Amino acid sequence: MALRSIVVIPHEALNRKAKKINNIDDKIRLLAIDMAETMYKAPGVGLAANQVGELLRLIVVDVVYPYAEGKDKKKDPLVLINPEIVQSEGESVNEEGCLSVPDFGVEVTRAERCQVRCVDLEGNPLNIDAEGLLARALQHEIDHLNGLTILEHASFLKRDLYRRRLKKKTRRDR
Ligand code: ZN
C-alpha cells in the first residue's frame, strides 16, 4: 500500500480519456487500494485514476467518511470499475473543487440523481442509485475518466484567468 501523487493541471492525463479495464488483476487491486488511501489522505471525497496519472476507468468515492464522527467514522470506499451513468434525473447547482485543480472553485450544474452501472473489485456487476453529494461526486469522477475537469465547466473567462494565474505561479516557483 502506498500513497500516489495527485497530478494537477496542466498534466496531460487530466485531459485524456481513460481506457476500459478488461482484466481485474493485482495491479488494478493495488491501484484501487492506493487510490483510496490517497483520497483519504488528501483529503477528498473521490478520486479518478487519471488523477494519479493512470488512464484506466477506475474511481474511488467516499462521501460519508469526511463528515462522520466517533465510531461511525470508518473508511469504507466505494470502488467502481468501468462506471457508466445509465440514467440521470433532476438538476442541481453547487460549488465544486478538485484536488487536481488547486485553488479553484466553480459552480457546476449536475443531475440531482443518477444511476451508475459498473463492476466492483471482484468483477461483480454493481448498480448504484445515487442522489445529492454521492450523485455529484460520481458525475465529477466519471468526468475525469472522460478527460474533463471542473475547468471545462467554467466560463471561458474564468478558465483563461486561472490558466494565466497558473503560468505566473509556475514561473515564480522555478
Ligand atoms: Zn476532480
Side-chain angles (χ1 to χ4, degrees):
M1 192 162 73
L3 290 175
R4 308 263 177 144
S5 6
I6 298 175
V7 302
V8 297
I9 290 283
H11 194 286
E12 61 156 26
L14 296 170
N15 290 116
R16 286 177 59 192
K17 225 176 146 167
K19 285 187 198 75
K20 189 172 178 214
I21 296 170
N22 294 315
N23 182 22
I24 303 166
D25 55 13
D26 284 350
K27 187 182 156 250
I28 297 292
R29 277 186 282 270
L30 186 66
L31 176 62
I33 293 168
D34 286 356
M35 277 172 56
E37 273 315 303
T38 307
M39 168 184 77
Y40 289 119
K41 179 83 196 302
V45 296
L47 200 68
N50 301 52
Q51 292 181 275
V52 294
E54 298 281 352
L55 291 171
L56 295 163
R57 300 191 84 78
L58 167 61
I59 65 177
V60 294
V61 175
D62 189 342
V63 297
V64 178
Y65 183 80
Y67 307 103
E69 275 174 51
K71 64 173 170 45
D72 293 336
K73 202 167 176 72
K74 206 173 88 219
K75 290 177 181 171
D76 187 17
L78 265 176
V79 177
L80 287 76
I81 294 170
N82 302 329
E84 239 181 295
I85 295 170
V86 288
Q87 227 178 67
S88 50
E89 211 180 78
E91 202 178 277
S92 112
V93 182
N94 222 325
E95 169 114 359
E96 287 183 24
C98 177
L99 297 169
S100 294
V101 191
D103 308 315
F104 187 78
V106 64
E107 293 210 318
V108 184
T109 306
R110 304 271 188 202
E112 172 62 23
R113 285 171 294 278
C114 64
Q115 194 185 92
V116 174
R117 191 187 293 155
C118 63
V119 294
D120 65 14
L121 265 185
E122 278 76 50
N124 301 315
L126 199 64
N127 259 307
I128 299 170
D129 282 307
E131 61 178 329
L133 183 57
L134 179 59
R136 178 166 292 276
L138 290 171
Q139 290 169 80
H140 177 120
E141 300 313 330
I142 292 171
D143 260 6
H144 275 302
L145 300 182
N146 293 324
L148 300 171
T149 69
I150 53 171
L151 267 190
E152 277 75 37
H153 286 277
S155 66
F156 175 78
L157 198 69
K158 206 169 167 182
R159 205 155 60 203
D160 193 49
L161 223 60
Y162 180 73
R163 290 217 169 97
R164 270 182 230 221
R165 208 168 68 194
L166 205 71
K167 253 189 216 146
K168 240 186 243 163
K169 189 181 167 297
T170 331
R171 235 178 283 147
R172 257 207 319 268
D173 291 348
R174 242 178 235 151

